[in-house]
Amino acid sequence: ENITNKSSRPRSCNSSKATSGGETKEGNSKYCKDRNALALKHKEDADELSRKCLTIACCGLLVGMIRRDPMRLFAEPVPADVGEYHEVIKDPKDFSTMRK
């Protein structure tokens, strides 16, 4: 009895010829759509994981900086009524702003 492996797939979705497994162009097209959808889903999952890792890393850095500010000098924004501060510092940052 001759057993053929009809589940063999081409390595590339760019091939328009029929495969050795007896599949037609339409079968290869369906496989390519499934493969491309799976690749897109994988990329979205990887991007989400990267964003989560970056968020965790940034939170860790912020907590480390907050621990090194025991007098809480950078905990809240400098009030607008402080004389020359806002003239010298054009884009002030504080921990409460960073946390948002």
Side-chain angles (χ1 to χ4, degrees):
E1 183 174 347
N2 186 6
I3 300 174
T4 59
N5 185 1
K6 293 191 178 198
S7 66
S8 66
R9 303 284 186 194
R11 290 184 181 260
S12 172
C13 288
N14 296 331
S15 174
S16 61
K17 297 179 181 178
T19 64
S20 62
E23 293 182 11
T24 63
K25 186 176 179 180
E26 293 80 22
N28 189 29
S29 176
K30 181 180 182 292
Y31 169 73
C32 289
K33 287 179 185 176
D34 292 344
R35 183 175 174 178
N36 290 339
L38 185 62
L40 182 62
K41 174 75 170 115
H42 176 72
K43 184 178 181 329
E44 289 170 355
D45 290 345
D47 289 346
E48 181 180 347
L49 182 60
S50 292
R51 279 191 298 275
K52 286 180 181 179
C53 290
L54 183 60
T55 300
I56 290 169
C58 288
C59 287
L61 288 171
L62 182 59
V63 167
M65 289 190 302
I66 290 170
R67 286 182 183 164
R68 286 168 179 76
D69 183 30
M71 294 176 57
R72 299 184 43 86
L73 297 174
F74 299 99
E76 297 295 327
V78 175
D81 62 341
V82 175
E84 297 177 8
Y85 179 81
H86 290 285
E87 293 172 12
V88 175
I89 308 297
K90 301 294 182 198
D91 191 22
K93 296 292 180 206
D94 58 273
F95 296 139
S96 65
T97 304
M98 287 186 219
R99 188 173 285 145
K100 293 176 186 174

